[in-house]
Amino acid sequence: MVISPNLIRILIGWDGLGLVSYCLVIYFQNFKSYSAGMLTILANRIGDVAILLSISWILNYGLSLITITMAGLRANVEYDLRKVIALSTLRQLGLIMSILFLGFPILAFLHLLTHAFFMALLFMCAGVIIHCINDSQDMRHIGGIINNLPFTCACFCISNLSLCGFPFIAGFYSKDIIIEIITSSMGS
């Protein structure tokens, strides 16, 4: 079933698997096993529809958009400083893959280089901050660090602004050229 080159065969095989699962679940022939069997059939049907929708969505919009969305959502609820920075890197890699899939490899490489420079600075600043707060990576412990590390905090803010695409910083130029070229190519 898994190695079948035909989608119809895969779906028929999946239905056969669902039927066998149903038979195995209702083997004991009591109310609880019948209920579990119906749940198995229902999950199998929903699974078929969900897999078809997922395949079509991934083929239309690409895995890179999923990466951007999931990394962004996860970063919003994270308290570990290094994980937040790593998730922002994952979002940028999703953006780079989107640019690559749209057919602009030079723009993807440009963004990769600019992203590497400001993320390296961001990781170095995070390492200094983590070291100075007794090796705690929890962002809730960072309050007032600007008084002890003003230069590090300034570098951290500059690299964060570059990550956000603030005007006249490296991240702005790479993201601006990407938006400009993609919108001009879509218009023509």
Side-chain angles (χ1 to χ4, degrees), residues 141-157:
H141 300 152
I142 296 180
I145 199 77
I146 195 165
N147 298 328
N148 299 331
L149 302 168
F151 183 71
T152 303
C153 288
C155 291
F156 190 87
C157 287

Side-chain angles (χ1 to χ4, degrees), residues 17-91:
L17 182 67
L19 181 62
V20 170
S21 298
Y22 174 75
C23 292
L24 287 172
V25 170
I26 66 164
Y27 176 76
F28 292 107
Q29 297 182 358
N30 59 27
F31 181 74
K32 215 172 178 182
S33 65
Y34 287 134
S35 298
M38 291 308 291
L39 183 64
T40 302
I41 289 290
L42 184 63
N44 194 18
R45 278 289 104 212
I46 292 172
D48 287 347
V49 173
I51 199 162
L52 286 174
L53 290 175
S54 298
I55 289 170
S56 65
W57 191 80
I58 286 172
L59 290 177
N60 285 333
Y61 297 107
L63 280 167
S64 55
L65 295 179
I66 296 171
T67 303
I68 292 169
T69 304
M70 295 305 291
L73 289 173
R74 180 69 181 129
N76 285 324
V77 296
E78 188 61 56
Y79 291 113
D80 187 337
L81 181 61
R82 287 190 324 176
K83 284 184 184 176
V84 170
I85 296 171
L87 287 168
S88 91
T89 298
L90 188 59
R91 284 196 74 198

Side-chain angles (χ1 to χ4, degrees), residues 118-163:
F118 61 75
M119 284 308 283
L121 178 61
L122 199 60
F123 270 112
M124 287 190 291
C125 292
V128 170
I129 291 170
I130 289 169
H131 178 70
C132 288
I133 57 172
N134 298 324
D135 296 326
S136 173
Q137 298 175 22
D138 194 340
M139 290 190 299
R140 295 172 288 191
H141 300 152
I142 296 180
I145 199 77
I146 195 165
N147 298 328
N148 299 331
L149 302 168
F151 183 71
T152 303
C153 288
C155 291
F156 190 87
C157 287
I158 290 169
S159 61
N160 199 11
L161 287 173
S162 183
L163 178 66

